[in-house]
Amino acid sequence: MAARWVLHLPTTLTNQDDAVRLAAALRDPLTHVTVLDFGETTLSEEDRQLLRTRVWCDARLDEAGRCRRRADHAGPCGSAARQCGLRR
């Protein structure tokens, strides 16, 4: 398999919850772009980029697709946007 490239997109945000909301805001309208793998989205502090935190669970679901809930969610996986635990 050919090497994949990772796009690092720095922000001026200073809060992890805000960074998660931005990631979701970018993911939702761009889901149709097949070269983007939002399920693998991670966050890191600017000065600690090797220490990354996974954003979404991303488990494969029987009904096709992937779980859209936070990586540390309680309960069963789900694909509904309302289950992702993000404030809008």
Side-chain angles (χ1 to χ4, degrees), residues 32-52:
H32 69 282
V33 181
T34 59
V35 298
L36 297 175
D37 188 358
F38 284 100
E40 295 293 327
T41 302
T42 58
L43 299 175
S44 66
E45 292 181 39
E46 182 177 26
D47 294 332
R48 298 172 65 191
Q49 292 185 32
L50 295 178
L51 180 60
R52 296 174 183 239

Side-chain angles (χ1 to χ4, degrees), residues 41-76:
T41 302
T42 58
L43 299 175
S44 66
E45 292 181 39
E46 182 177 26
D47 294 332
R48 298 172 65 191
Q49 292 185 32
L50 295 178
L51 180 60
R52 296 174 183 239
T53 302
R54 180 177 291 279
V55 176
W56 293 293
C57 170
D58 198 38
R60 293 195 184 277
L61 302 174
D62 290 340
E63 70 264 11
R66 294 182 179 266
C67 179
R68 294 171 57 94
R69 297 181 71 190
R70 292 290 300 265
D72 57 354
H73 72 83

